[in-house]
Amino acid sequence: MSTSAISFSDQVNKNFDRAAALSDIPPDVLEQIRNSNSVYKLTFPVRRDNGGIEVIDAYRVEHSHHRLPTKGGIRFSLAVNQDEVEALAALMTYKCAVADIPYGGAKGGICIDRSLYSEAELERITRRYTFELLKKNFIGPGVDVPAPDMGTGAQEMAWIADTYMQMSRNEIDAIGCVTGKPVQFGGIRGRKEATGLGVYFGIREACDDADDMKQLGLKTGVEGKTVVVQGLGNVGFHAAKFLSESGAKVIAIAEYDGAIVDRSGIDVEACQKHRQETGSILGLPGSEDLQPSAAALELECDILVPAALENVITGENVGRVKAKIIAEAANGPVAADAGEQLSKRGCLVLPDMYLNAGGVTVSYFEWLKNLDHVRPGRMEKRFEENVYRNLLDAIESASGYSFSAEERKGIAKGADEQDLVRSGLDETMTNAYRNIREQRRRHKDQVDLRTSAFLVAINRIASAYEHLGIFP
Ligand code: GLU
């Protein structure tokens, strides 16, 4: 059977089993961790603008109830099916465990091509889906909390929150029923760029590991590394932007209709602007077009960032992939067998369940903000600024040195919401990387980072089960 014939959830389970075999967790507990706890398949009618009725297929899977609420995005895509949603929900469980976010994993999907629906139709679909979830207790701030995913964003999350709030009675935390909302409607600053920024933090941590970089024949640090990005969506764009701002060179970007290459480095923001104006990244002045799009995956580079779909590096093309580091910004871009081949030849694969955890991490901060009913930083920002100012005054009078207005502005700054979100995200991604790397060292570097990440996750989930009651 070729790799691509294996279903997505079989791929996730294959990776799980490889790690599980190295753990000393009893098989019955492993079985409980591996399986989806609740699978809800629903169909509902939606009135089209032309008066007709269409029946929509949708899913919500809660993979693990070892922690509540469960958490995970909702995607709008024609590729949505039960297997895909189960696989993605399982990845959410492992992702939250690796990042030490106290949630079980979940995922939702509505099987539509959103470009075929008007804004009003999308609103009706989203609200009806929310209503159906609510009827079956598949949504709520303490139960299951959706978020954006492929094909959805802040607007859909606002419709979900509004529907939930209209249906709930006197529930003070109702707005915490969904994350990724607009900032003006219970969202948090920094959520939009969170996954891409988390991808950057993860790559930075990997590139700072002197042993690993030596093994790959690379210098430490992100600076000067050549990068190819597949997918200039929200995650790919922000990952590319933060990587270039830190001195990496983005030499190619691939989209569904083709790729562009410029070995001297692509201006990521100019590329985004060009796409907004022309409808495509192709034809960006100064760069060359490359067809087919998938050829970009095979370019010579230090870091390849697949930030689009699952299963893009498979048994079929893995032999031609030359990148030394593969940073899985998307969910499941490297098929299980391709991953084995990559680690055999020493390629460092930064696994999805770690690398794209930035989104759910900042979702967690948004949920905490909703439950706290106060914006992070609101209580302490001004107080901190006053403390720093007093400290600067004391230093000035003791030393005779006089700080410039610019220096004062830089030092006497209290943290605002975005500063706190970014620092919390950095802390989460850095700690998680260290845990995974340490786990790998414990296995004398004989396992890859994905297996190490699974081991960290499985151990954490298993220890939660030790404290859970099994009823009746
Ligand atoms: N959809 C994102 C993911 O796959 C975010 C999930 C969330 O924020 O709950 O990680």
Side-chain angles (χ1 to χ4, degrees):
M1 187 159 46
S2 84
T3 303
S4 50
I6 302 176
S7 77
F8 190 10
S9 49
D10 284 345
Q11 309 246 14
V12 173
N13 286 335
K14 208 171 160 187
N15 288 324
F16 176 96
D17 291 343
R18 189 181 303 126
L22 300 172
S23 78
D24 48 15
I25 296 160
D28 48 355
V29 178
L30 289 171
E31 186 63 10
Q32 167 56 29
I33 297 175
R34 203 176 190 269
N35 285 302
S36 302
N37 286 169
S38 313
V39 179
Y40 181 25
K41 153 97 177 68
L42 56 157
T43 50
F44 54 85
V46 163
R47 172 103 38 215
R48 299 291 310 247
D49 290 345
N50 65 11
I53 297 252
E54 191 178 312
V55 177
I56 306 278
D57 283 328
Y59 303 84
R60 184 74 183 169
V61 172
E62 293 172 357
H63 172 261
S64 180
H65 292 153
H66 75 286
R67 289 235 192 286
L68 289 172
T70 51
K71 188 87 187 78
I74 293 173
R75 60 172 57 181
F76 287 179
S77 151
L78 278 182
V80 161
N81 59 47
Q82 185 172 325
D83 182 82
E84 186 194 64
V85 182
E86 281 199 63
L88 292 165
L91 278 175
M92 284 307 302
T93 295
Y94 308 131
K95 193 185 297 191
C96 291
V98 162
D100 203 12
I101 307 284
Y103 294 139
K107 203 74 167 197
I110 303 186
C111 190
I112 52 167
D113 170 356
R114 65 169 297 145
S115 68
L116 304 178
Y117 297 86
S118 69
E119 175 95 349
E121 288 170 335
L122 289 172
E123 177 169 354
R124 288 199 285 277
I125 293 170
T126 309
R127 288 186 183 275
R128 177 67 189 249
Y129 176 73
T130 310
F131 178 74
E132 296 293 333
L133 293 184
L134 187 52
K135 274 201 317 198
K136 298 275 194 240
N137 201 27
F138 266 78
I139 185 170
V143 181
D144 186 355
V145 181
D149 200 80
M150 196 185 290
T152 55
Q155 176 60 78
E156 287 74 23
M157 303 307 117
W159 289 328
I160 292 173
D162 184 57
T163 309
Y164 184 89
M165 286 159 72
Q166 301 312 318
M167 305 297 300
S168 78
R169 256 184 249 146
N170 219 356
E171 194 185 340
I172 194 160
D173 294 330
I175 194 133
C177 70
V178 64
T179 59
K181 301 177 291 289
V183 174
Q184 308 77 356
F185 188 42
I188 197 163
R189 287 169 186 79
R191 175 64 183 85
K192 193 169 173 25
E193 66 272 31
T195 312
L197 181 58
V199 167
Y200 161 70
F201 287 142
I203 294 175
R204 182 199 66 194
E205 285 307 298
C207 291
D208 279 349
D209 189 298
D211 293 345
D212 285 344
M213 291 306 108
K214 200 167 157 215
Q215 281 279 324
L216 295 170
L218 295 172
K219 282 205 265 176
T220 50
V222 163
E223 202 175 343
K225 295 227 166 21
T226 52
V227 178
V228 172
V229 178
Q230 184 200 34
L232 201 65
N234 180 37
V235 179
F237 167 72
H238 284 106
K241 177 176 168 292
F242 290 114
L243 282 164
S244 351
E245 282 171 9
S246 308
K249 211 192 278 180
V250 178
I251 57 160
I253 297 177
E255 260 295 329
Y256 68 97
D257 56 345
I260 53 168
V261 185
D262 179 356
R263 290 238 155 234
S264 65
I266 296 168
D267 178 337
V268 180
E269 297 199 54
C271 176
Q272 177 81 315
K273 193 158 168 263
H274 172 79
R275 185 175 52 179
Q276 277 154 4
E277 284 161 11
T278 67
S280 172
I281 60 167
L282 299 177
L284 178 72
S287 65
E288 274 174 44
D289 291 351
L290 176 71
Q291 292 291 1
S293 169
L297 299 170
E298 299 168 20
L299 291 170
E300 197 86 51
C301 65
D302 297 325
I303 309 172
L304 172 62
V305 186
L309 290 170
E310 54 252 28
N311 273 330
V312 293
I313 300 172
T314 63
E316 192 279 312
N317 63 355
V318 67
R320 300 189 298 275
V321 170
K322 299 176 196 70
K324 296 188 171 133
I325 300 172
I326 297 184
E328 292 188 325
N331 287 311
V334 176
D337 292 0
E340 271 167 34
Q341 290 192 45
L342 288 166
S343 53
K344 262 188 211 136
R345 68 170 193 247
C347 174
L348 191 70
V349 178
L350 309 179
D352 48 3
M353 53 186 282
Y354 159 67
L355 197 69
N356 66 32
V360 71
T361 301
V362 176
S363 274
Y364 172 49
F365 301 154
E366 178 177 332
W367 181 75
L368 292 175
K369 172 184 179 180
N370 294 156
L371 302 189
D372 278 352
H373 300 272
V374 65
R375 161 170 53 79
R378 178 168 174 177
M379 303 298 284
E380 53 283 61
K381 183 174 188 294
R382 192 60 53 131
F383 179 80
E384 281 171 12
E385 282 177 7
N386 288 336
V387 170
Y388 295 138
R389 262 189 223 115
N390 291 341
L391 208 60
L392 291 178
D393 291 345
I395 295 172
E396 278 184 347
S397 60
S399 67
Y401 179 81
S402 180
F403 291 101
S404 68
E406 201 54 34
E407 282 173 323
R408 277 190 165 265
K409 214 171 127 204
I411 301 169
K413 182 182 184 304
D416 61 22
E417 181 169 275
Q418 176 156 315
D419 297 326
L420 292 168
V421 163
R422 288 197 172 182
S423 125
L425 177 58
D426 194 349
E427 170 76 3
T428 304
M429 295 305 291
T430 303
N431 276 345
Y433 193 78
R434 295 193 179 152
N435 287 333
I436 299 169
R437 191 63 193 89
E438 202 182 295
Q439 182 69 246
R440 189 167 175 228
R441 286 208 167 89
R442 242 177 263 147
H443 286 85
K444 312 225 168 334
D445 285 0
Q446 296 306 301
V447 298
D448 57 18
L449 287 173
R450 192 187 315 279
T451 306
S452 318
F454 263 103
L455 276 167
V456 170
I458 296 172
N459 285 327
R460 284 201 178 135
I461 302 165
S463 60
Y465 274 116
E466 275 173 29
H467 304 285
L468 289 178
I470 314 277
F471 302 106

